[in-house]
PDB file of all heavy atoms in Angstrom:
ATOM      1  N   GLY G 100     103.373 -34.954-115.053  1.00 98.00           N
ATOM      2  CA  GLY G 100     104.586 -35.737-115.251  1.00 98.00           C
ATOM      3  C   GLY G 100     104.786 -35.998-116.738  1.00 98.00           C
ATOM      4  O   GLY G 100     103.962 -36.665-117.370  1.00 98.00           O
ATOM      5  N   GLY G 102     107.301 -37.698-117.949  1.00 98.00           N
ATOM      6  CA  GLY G 102     108.197 -38.839-118.103  1.00 98.00           C
ATOM      7  C   GLY G 102     107.577 -39.831-119.073  1.00 98.00           C
ATOM      8  O   GLY G 102     106.536 -39.555-119.704  1.00 98.00           O
ATOM      9  N   ILE G 103     108.184 -40.996-119.181  1.00 98.00           N
ATOM     10  CA  ILE G 103     107.691 -41.982-120.149  1.00 98.00           C
ATOM     11  C   ILE G 103     106.273 -42.407-119.793  1.00 98.00           C
ATOM     12  O   ILE G 103     105.428 -42.628-120.673  1.00 98.00           O
ATOM     13  CB  ILE G 103     108.670 -43.172-120.235  1.00 98.00           C
ATOM     14  CG1 ILE G 103     109.907 -42.679-120.997  1.00 98.00           C
ATOM     15  CG2 ILE G 103     108.033 -44.370-120.950  1.00 98.00           C
ATOM     16  CD1 ILE G 103     110.963 -43.704-121.239  1.00 98.00           C
ATOM     17  N   SER G 104     105.953 -42.458-118.499  1.00 99.00           N
ATOM     18  CA  SER G 104     104.602 -42.856-118.123  1.00 99.00           C
ATOM     19  C   SER G 104     103.585 -41.787-118.528  1.00 99.00           C
ATOM     20  O   SER G 104     102.535 -42.098-119.113  1.00 99.00           O
ATOM     21  CB  SER G 104     104.533 -43.105-116.607  1.00 99.00           C
ATOM     22  OG  SER G 104     103.432 -43.886-116.286  1.00 99.00           O
ATOM     23  N   ASP G 125     105.052 -30.652-116.207  1.00 98.00           N
ATOM     24  CA  ASP G 125     106.198 -31.259-115.512  1.00 98.00           C
ATOM     25  C   ASP G 125     107.011 -30.156-114.851  1.00 98.00           C
ATOM     26  O   ASP G 125     107.170 -29.063-115.401  1.00 98.00           O
ATOM     27  CB  ASP G 125     107.088 -32.045-116.480  1.00 98.00           C
ATOM     28  CG  ASP G 125     108.017 -33.003-115.739  1.00 98.00           C
ATOM     29  OD1 ASP G 125     108.987 -32.538-115.104  1.00 98.00           O
ATOM     30  OD2 ASP G 125     107.744 -34.224-115.775  1.00 98.00           O
ATOM     31  N   ASN G 126     107.526 -30.464-113.672  1.00 98.00           N
ATOM     32  CA  ASN G 126     108.278 -29.450-112.926  1.00 98.00           C
ATOM     33  C   ASN G 126     109.684 -29.216-113.460  1.00 98.00           C
ATOM     34  O   ASN G 126     110.278 -28.171-113.200  1.00 98.00           O
ATOM     35  CB  ASN G 126     108.383 -29.856-111.444  1.00 98.00           C
ATOM     36  CG  ASN G 126     109.079 -31.188-111.266  1.00 98.00           C
ATOM     37  OD1 ASN G 126     108.740 -32.159-111.923  1.00 98.00           O
ATOM     38  ND2 ASN G 126     110.056 -31.254-110.384  1.00 98.00           N
ATOM     39  N   HIS G 127     110.244 -30.174-114.206  1.00 98.00           N
ATOM     40  CA  HIS G 127     111.604 -29.983-114.709  1.00 98.00           C
ATOM     41  C   HIS G 127     111.629 -29.022-115.900  1.00 98.00           C
ATOM     42  O   HIS G 127     110.584 -28.705-116.454  1.00 98.00           O
ATOM     43  CB  HIS G 127     112.202 -31.339-115.103  1.00 98.00           C
ATOM     44  CG  HIS G 127     112.536 -32.180-113.902  1.00 98.00           C
ATOM     45  ND1 HIS G 127     111.864 -33.347-113.617  1.00 98.00           N
ATOM     46  CD2 HIS G 127     113.436 -31.992-112.916  1.00 98.00           C
ATOM     47  CE1 HIS G 127     112.360 -33.855-112.487  1.00 98.00           C
ATOM     48  NE2 HIS G 127     113.308 -33.050-112.048  1.00 98.00           N
ATOM     49  N   GLY G 132     111.188 -36.833-117.949  1.00 98.00           N
ATOM     50  CA  GLY G 132     111.369 -37.337-116.584  1.00 98.00           C
ATOM     51  C   GLY G 132     112.794 -37.851-116.441  1.00 98.00           C
ATOM     52  O   GLY G 132     113.754 -37.165-116.817  1.00 98.00           O
ATOM     53  N   HIS G 133     112.924 -39.088-115.918  1.00 98.00           N
ATOM     54  CA  HIS G 133     114.265 -39.670-115.782  1.00 98.00           C
ATOM     55  C   HIS G 133     114.891 -39.935-117.155  1.00 98.00           C
ATOM     56  O   HIS G 133     116.112 -40.058-117.249  1.00 98.00           O
ATOM     57  CB  HIS G 133     114.192 -41.015-115.046  1.00 98.00           C
ATOM     58  CG  HIS G 133     113.756 -40.898-113.617  1.00 98.00           C
ATOM     59  ND1 HIS G 133     113.040 -41.886-112.973  1.00 98.00           N
ATOM     60  CD2 HIS G 133     113.937 -39.917-112.709  1.00 98.00           C
ATOM     61  CE1 HIS G 133     112.809 -41.514-111.729  1.00 98.00           C
ATOM     62  NE2 HIS G 133     113.333 -40.320-111.541  1.00 98.00           N
ATOM     63  N   THR G 152     117.497 -42.630-117.345  1.00 98.00           N
ATOM     64  CA  THR G 152     117.105 -43.941-117.883  1.00 98.00           C
ATOM     65  C   THR G 152     118.022 -44.390-119.022  1.00 98.00           C
ATOM     66  O   THR G 152     118.059 -43.795-120.092  1.00 98.00           O
ATOM     67  CB  THR G 152     115.635 -43.888-118.328  1.00 98.00           C
ATOM     68  OG1 THR G 152     114.876 -43.360-117.235  1.00 98.00           O
ATOM     69  CG2 THR G 152     115.109 -45.262-118.671  1.00 98.00           C
ATOM     70  N   GLU G 153     118.738 -45.501-118.763  1.00 98.00           N
ATOM     71  CA  GLU G 153     119.897 -45.829-119.580  1.00 98.00           C
ATOM     72  C   GLU G 153     119.575 -46.636-120.834  1.00 98.00           C
ATOM     73  O   GLU G 153     120.066 -46.367-121.911  1.00 98.00           O
ATOM     74  CB  GLU G 153     120.876 -46.609-118.697  1.00 98.00           C
ATOM     75  CG  GLU G 153     122.246 -46.773-119.257  1.00 98.00           C
ATOM     76  CD  GLU G 153     123.169 -47.479-118.260  1.00 98.00           C
ATOM     77  OE1 GLU G 153     122.751 -47.748-117.125  1.00 98.00           O
ATOM     78  OE2 GLU G 153     124.311 -47.775-118.647  1.00 98.00           O
ATOM     79  N   LEU G 154     118.752 -47.667-120.668  1.00 98.00           N
ATOM     80  CA  LEU G 154     118.510 -48.519-121.833  1.00 98.00           C
ATOM     81  C   LEU G 154     117.207 -49.309-121.717  1.00 98.00           C
ATOM     82  O   LEU G 154     116.628 -49.412-120.633  1.00 98.00           O
ATOM     83  CB  LEU G 154     119.674 -49.489-122.056  1.00 98.00           C
ATOM     84  CG  LEU G 154     119.854 -50.680-121.118  1.00 98.00           C
ATOM     85  CD1 LEU G 154     120.744 -51.716-121.793  1.00 98.00           C
ATOM     86  CD2 LEU G 154     120.467 -50.280-119.805  1.00 98.00           C
ATOM     87  N   ASP G 156     115.578 -52.450-121.179  1.00 95.00           N
ATOM     88  CA  ASP G 156     116.105 -53.595-120.437  1.00 95.00           C
ATOM     89  C   ASP G 156     115.197 -53.758-119.237  1.00 95.00           C
ATOM     90  O   ASP G 156     114.856 -52.781-118.584  1.00 95.00           O
ATOM     91  CB  ASP G 156     117.532 -53.236-119.985  1.00 95.00           C
ATOM     92  CG  ASP G 156     118.095 -54.219-118.982  1.00 95.00           C
ATOM     93  OD1 ASP G 156     117.767 -55.397-119.085  1.00 95.00           O
ATOM     94  OD2 ASP G 156     118.876 -53.771-118.119  1.00 95.00           O
ATOM     95  N   SER G 394     106.710 -26.430-114.579  1.00 97.00           N
ATOM     96  CA  SER G 394     105.381 -26.226-113.995  1.00 97.00           C
ATOM     97  C   SER G 394     105.145 -27.298-112.925  1.00 97.00           C
ATOM     98  O   SER G 394     104.952 -28.469-113.251  1.00 97.00           O
ATOM     99  CB  SER G 394     104.299 -26.367-115.074  1.00 97.00           C
ATOM    100  OG  SER G 394     104.531 -25.472-116.129  1.00 97.00           O
ATOM    101  N   VAL G 396     102.935 -29.040-110.227  1.00 97.00           N
ATOM    102  CA  VAL G 396     101.541 -29.165-109.777  1.00 97.00           C
ATOM    103  C   VAL G 396     101.534 -29.150-108.251  1.00 97.00           C
ATOM    104  O   VAL G 396     102.306 -29.864-107.598  1.00 97.00           O
ATOM    105  CB  VAL G 396     100.913 -30.441-110.360  1.00 97.00           C
ATOM    106  CG1 VAL G 396      99.527 -30.687-109.772  1.00 97.00           C
ATOM    107  CG2 VAL G 396     100.839 -30.299-111.882  1.00 97.00           C
ATOM    108  N   ALA G 432     100.965 -39.020-113.341  1.00 99.00           N
ATOM    109  CA  ALA G 432     102.062 -39.916-113.739  1.00 99.00           C
ATOM    110  C   ALA G 432     103.338 -39.414-113.082  1.00 99.00           C
ATOM    111  O   ALA G 432     104.433 -39.586-113.591  1.00 99.00           O
ATOM    112  CB  ALA G 432     102.198 -39.936-115.254  1.00 99.00           C
ATOM    113  N   SER G 433     103.166 -38.789-111.965  1.00 98.00           N
ATOM    114  CA  SER G 433     104.269 -38.147-111.249  1.00 98.00           C
ATOM    115  C   SER G 433     104.712 -39.043-110.101  1.00 98.00           C
ATOM    116  O   SER G 433     104.131 -40.102-109.863  1.00 98.00           O
ATOM    117  CB  SER G 433     103.807 -36.792-110.741  1.00 98.00           C
ATOM    118  OG  SER G 433     102.564 -36.926-110.061  1.00 98.00           O
ATOM    119  N   TRP G 434     105.725 -38.606-109.355  1.00 98.00           N
ATOM    120  CA  TRP G 434     106.262 -39.418-108.277  1.00 98.00           C
ATOM    121  C   TRP G 434     105.175 -39.656-107.231  1.00 98.00           C
ATOM    122  O   TRP G 434     104.633 -38.725-106.645  1.00 98.00           O
ATOM    123  CB  TRP G 434     107.501 -38.731-107.705  1.00 98.00           C
ATOM    124  CG  TRP G 434     108.576 -38.597-108.756  1.00 98.00           C
ATOM    125  CD1 TRP G 434     108.696 -39.384-109.878  1.00 98.00           C
ATOM    126  CD2 TRP G 434     109.633 -37.648-108.815  1.00 98.00           C
ATOM    127  NE1 TRP G 434     109.782 -38.987-110.619  1.00 98.00           N
ATOM    128  CE2 TRP G 434     110.384 -37.920-109.993  1.00 98.00           C
ATOM    129  CE3 TRP G 434     110.052 -36.596-108.002  1.00 98.00           C
ATOM    130  CZ2 TRP G 434     111.503 -37.178-110.355  1.00 98.00           C
ATOM    131  CZ3 TRP G 434     111.170 -35.864-108.363  1.00 98.00           C
ATOM    132  CH2 TRP G 434     111.882 -36.158-109.524  1.00 98.00           C
ATOM    133  N   MET G 437     104.528 -38.104-103.674  1.00 98.00           N
ATOM    134  CA  MET G 437     104.106 -36.710-103.489  1.00 98.00           C
ATOM    135  C   MET G 437     102.588 -36.545-103.588  1.00 98.00           C
ATOM    136  O   MET G 437     102.041 -35.497-103.232  1.00 98.00           O
ATOM    137  CB  MET G 437     104.800 -35.837-104.539  1.00 98.00           C
ATOM    138  CG  MET G 437     104.757 -34.365-104.105  1.00 98.00           C
ATOM    139  SD  MET G 437     105.151 -33.188-105.342  1.00 98.00           S
ATOM    140  CE  MET G 437     104.458 -31.706-104.595  1.00 98.00           C
ATOM    141  N   TYR G 463     124.104 -39.738-112.066  1.00 98.00           N
ATOM    142  CA  TYR G 463     124.818 -40.172-113.269  1.00 98.00           C
ATOM    143  C   TYR G 463     125.618 -38.958-113.731  1.00 98.00           C
ATOM    144  O   TYR G 463     125.036 -37.919-114.062  1.00 98.00           O
ATOM    145  CB  TYR G 463     123.839 -40.557-114.389  1.00 98.00           C
ATOM    146  CG  TYR G 463     123.246 -41.951-114.312  1.00 98.00           C
ATOM    147  CD1 TYR G 463     123.457 -42.787-113.216  1.00 98.00           C
ATOM    148  CD2 TYR G 463     122.457 -42.426-115.358  1.00 98.00           C
ATOM    149  CE1 TYR G 463     122.906 -44.059-113.167  1.00 98.00           C
ATOM    150  CE2 TYR G 463     121.900 -43.700-115.314  1.00 98.00           C
ATOM    151  CZ  TYR G 463     122.128 -44.510-114.221  1.00 98.00           C
ATOM    152  OH  TYR G 463     121.569 -45.774-114.178  1.00 98.00           O
ATOM    153  N   GLY G 581     114.979 -41.104-107.664  1.00 98.00           N
ATOM    154  CA  GLY G 581     115.311 -41.867-108.868  1.00 98.00           C
ATOM    155  C   GLY G 581     114.465 -43.111-109.033  1.00 98.00           C
ATOM    156  O   GLY G 581     113.233 -43.031-109.123  1.00 98.00           O
ATOM    157  N   TYR G 582     115.124 -44.279-109.020  1.00 98.00           N
ATOM    158  CA  TYR G 582     114.400 -45.540-109.257  1.00 98.00           C
ATOM    159  C   TYR G 582     113.156 -45.658-108.372  1.00 98.00           C
ATOM    160  O   TYR G 582     113.180 -45.287-107.193  1.00 98.00           O
ATOM    161  CB  TYR G 582     115.257 -46.741-108.853  1.00 98.00           C
ATOM    162  CG  TYR G 582     116.491 -47.042-109.668  1.00 98.00           C
ATOM    163  CD1 TYR G 582     117.483 -47.845-109.094  1.00 98.00           C
ATOM    164  CD2 TYR G 582     116.682 -46.598-110.958  1.00 98.00           C
ATOM    165  CE1 TYR G 582     118.637 -48.178-109.795  1.00 98.00           C
ATOM    166  CE2 TYR G 582     117.832 -46.923-111.658  1.00 98.00           C
ATOM    167  CZ  TYR G 582     118.806 -47.710-111.073  1.00 98.00           C
ATOM    168  OH  TYR G 582     119.941 -48.043-111.758  1.00 98.00           O
ATOM    169  N   ASN G 616     102.827 -43.877-113.408  1.00 98.00           N
ATOM    170  CA  ASN G 616     104.263 -43.794-113.047  1.00 98.00           C
ATOM    171  C   ASN G 616     104.788 -45.190-112.706  1.00 98.00           C
ATOM    172  O   ASN G 616     104.048 -46.030-112.198  1.00 98.00           O
ATOM    173  CB  ASN G 616     104.489 -42.841-111.857  1.00 98.00           C
ATOM    174  CG  ASN G 616     105.978 -42.507-111.649  1.00 98.00           C
ATOM    175  OD1 ASN G 616     106.719 -43.290-111.109  1.00 98.00           O
ATOM    176  ND2 ASN G 616     106.384 -41.363-112.105  1.00 98.00           N
ATOM    177  N   SER G 617     106.072 -45.396-112.905  1.00 98.00           N
ATOM    178  CA  SER G 617     106.676 -46.698-112.580  1.00 98.00           C
ATOM    179  C   SER G 617     106.534 -47.005-111.093  1.00 98.00           C
ATOM    180  O   SER G 617     106.514 -48.175-110.704  1.00 98.00           O
ATOM    181  CB  SER G 617     108.156 -46.735-113.000  1.00 98.00           C
ATOM    182  OG  SER G 617     108.867 -45.687-112.382  1.00 98.00           O
ATOM    183  N   ALA G 623     111.309 -50.443-111.212  1.00 98.00           N
ATOM    184  CA  ALA G 623     112.040 -49.265-111.697  1.00 98.00           C
ATOM    185  C   ALA G 623     112.433 -49.412-113.164  1.00 98.00           C
ATOM    186  O   ALA G 623     113.609 -49.334-113.498  1.00 98.00           O
ATOM    187  CB  ALA G 623     113.273 -49.054-110.824  1.00 98.00           C
ATOM    188  N   TYR G 624     111.447 -49.652-113.988  1.00 98.00           N
ATOM    189  CA  TYR G 624     111.749 -49.914-115.391  1.00 98.00           C
ATOM    190  C   TYR G 624     110.750 -49.223-116.306  1.00 98.00           C
ATOM    191  O   TYR G 624     109.599 -48.965-115.929  1.00 98.00           O
ATOM    192  CB  TYR G 624     111.753 -51.429-115.660  1.00 98.00           C
ATOM    193  CG  TYR G 624     112.826 -52.120-114.846  1.00 98.00           C
ATOM    194  CD1 TYR G 624     112.535 -52.684-113.611  1.00 98.00           C
ATOM    195  CD2 TYR G 624     114.139 -52.145-115.300  1.00 98.00           C
ATOM    196  CE1 TYR G 624     113.530 -53.267-112.842  1.00 98.00           C
ATOM    197  CE2 TYR G 624     115.142 -52.730-114.538  1.00 98.00           C
ATOM    198  CZ  TYR G 624     114.840 -53.294-113.316  1.00 98.00           C
ATOM    199  OH  TYR G 624     115.826 -53.862-112.549  1.00 98.00           O
ATOM    200  N   THR G 625     111.214 -48.999-117.537  1.00 98.00           N
ATOM    201  CA  THR G 625     110.404 -48.291-118.523  1.00 98.00           C
ATOM    202  C   THR G 625     109.133 -49.057-118.864  1.00 98.00           C
ATOM    203  O   THR G 625     108.073 -48.461-119.072  1.00 98.00           O
ATOM    204  CB  THR G 625     111.268 -48.040-119.784  1.00 98.00           C
ATOM    205  OG1 THR G 625     112.255 -47.071-119.430  1.00 98.00           O
ATOM    206  CG2 THR G 625     110.464 -47.542-120.954  1.00 98.00           C
ATOM    207  N   ALA G 628     106.600 -48.215-116.365  1.00 98.00           N
ATOM    208  CA  ALA G 628     106.047 -46.869-116.586  1.00 98.00           C
ATOM    209  C   ALA G 628     104.953 -46.914-117.661  1.00 98.00           C
ATOM    210  O   ALA G 628     103.893 -46.282-117.532  1.00 98.00           O
ATOM    211  CB  ALA G 628     107.163 -45.911-116.996  1.00 98.00           C
TER     212      ALA G 628
HETATM  213  C1  LIG J 701     119.319 -42.679-113.122  1.00 95.31           C
HETATM  214  C2  LIG J 701     118.240 -43.633-113.575  1.00 95.31           C
HETATM  215  C3  LIG J 701     118.537 -44.648-114.470  1.00 95.31           C
HETATM  216  C4  LIG J 701     117.546 -45.522-114.908  1.00 95.31           C
HETATM  217  N1  LIG J 701     117.860 -46.479-115.840  1.00 95.31           N
HETATM  218  C5  LIG J 701     116.891 -47.271-116.328  1.00 95.31           C
HETATM  219  C6  LIG J 701     117.146 -48.185-117.381  1.00 95.31           C
HETATM  220  O1  LIG J 701     118.270 -48.325-117.856  1.00 95.31           O
HETATM  221  N2  LIG J 701     116.109 -48.919-117.876  1.00 95.31           N
HETATM  222  C7  LIG J 701     114.857 -48.804-117.387  1.00 95.31           C
HETATM  223  O2  LIG J 701     113.948 -49.468-117.879  1.00 95.31           O
HETATM  224  N3  LIG J 701     114.589 -47.941-116.384  1.00 95.31           N
HETATM  225  C8  LIG J 701     115.560 -47.173-115.853  1.00 95.31           C
HETATM  226  N4  LIG J 701     115.269 -46.265-114.863  1.00 95.31           N
HETATM  227  C9  LIG J 701     113.923 -46.240-114.293  1.00 95.31           C
HETATM  228  C10 LIG J 701     113.074 -45.111-114.840  1.00 95.31           C
HETATM  229  O3  LIG J 701     112.565 -44.466-113.698  1.00 95.31           O
HETATM  230  C11 LIG J 701     111.918 -45.648-115.693  1.00 95.31           C
HETATM  231  O4  LIG J 701     112.416 -46.457-116.734  1.00 95.31           O
HETATM  232  C12 LIG J 701     111.076 -44.567-116.369  1.00 95.31           C
HETATM  233  O5  LIG J 701     111.874 -43.666-117.107  1.00 95.31           O
HETATM  234  C13 LIG J 701     110.211 -43.860-115.363  1.00 95.31           C
HETATM  235  O6  LIG J 701     109.256 -43.091-116.029  1.00 95.31           O
HETATM  236  P1  LIG J 701     108.047 -42.444-115.256  1.00 95.31           P
HETATM  237  O7  LIG J 701     107.324 -41.606-116.216  1.00 95.31           O
HETATM  238  O8  LIG J 701     107.316 -43.497-114.520  1.00 95.31           O
HETATM  239  O9  LIG J 701     108.717 -41.524-114.132  1.00 95.31           O
HETATM  240  P2  LIG J 701     109.645 -40.237-114.292  1.00 95.31           P
HETATM  241  O10 LIG J 701     110.566 -40.404-115.424  1.00 95.31           O
HETATM  242  O11 LIG J 701     110.232 -39.992-112.954  1.00 95.31           O
HETATM  243  O12 LIG J 701     108.631 -39.051-114.667  1.00 95.31           O
HETATM  244  C14 LIG J 701     107.773 -38.474-113.731  1.00 95.31           C
HETATM  245  C15 LIG J 701     107.828 -36.981-113.896  1.00 95.31           C
HETATM  246  O13 LIG J 701     106.834 -36.382-113.061  1.00 95.31           O
HETATM  247  C16 LIG J 701     107.396 -35.202-112.560  1.00 95.31           C
HETATM  248  N5  LIG J 701     106.679 -34.720-111.386  1.00 95.31           N
HETATM  249  C17 LIG J 701     106.724 -35.215-110.126  1.00 95.31           C
HETATM  250  N6  LIG J 701     105.933 -34.467-109.323  1.00 95.31           N
HETATM  251  C18 LIG J 701     105.415 -33.472-110.077  1.00 95.31           C
HETATM  252  C19 LIG J 701     104.557 -32.382-109.809  1.00 95.31           C
HETATM  253  N7  LIG J 701     104.036 -32.181-108.599  1.00 95.31           N
HETATM  254  N8  LIG J 701     104.247 -31.534-110.821  1.00 95.31           N
HETATM  255  C20 LIG J 701     104.752 -31.734-112.059  1.00 95.31           C
HETATM  256  N9  LIG J 701     105.558 -32.774-112.369  1.00 95.31           N
HETATM  257  C21 LIG J 701     105.885 -33.621-111.393  1.00 95.31           C
HETATM  258  C22 LIG J 701     108.811 -35.634-112.227  1.00 95.31           C
HETATM  259  O14 LIG J 701     109.649 -34.557-111.950  1.00 95.31           O
HETATM  260  C23 LIG J 701     109.172 -36.401-113.458  1.00 95.31           C
HETATM  261  O15 LIG J 701     109.700 -35.543-114.446  1.00 95.31           O
HETATM  262  C24 LIG J 701     116.234 -45.382-114.417  1.00 95.31           C
HETATM  263  C25 LIG J 701     115.938 -44.356-113.500  1.00 95.31           C
HETATM  264  C26 LIG J 701     116.926 -43.498-113.093  1.00 95.31           C
HETATM  265  C27 LIG J 701     116.593 -42.402-112.121  1.00 95.31           C
END
Side-chain angles (χ1 to χ4, degrees):
I103 287 182
S104 200
D125 197 287
N126 60 311
H127 288 113
H133 294 149
T152 309
E153 193 176 355
L154 73 161
D156 169 34
S394 303
V396 173
S433 50
W434 298 336
M437 199 194 162
Y463 278 7
Y582 292 161
N616 192 282
S617 57
Y624 298 94
T625 290

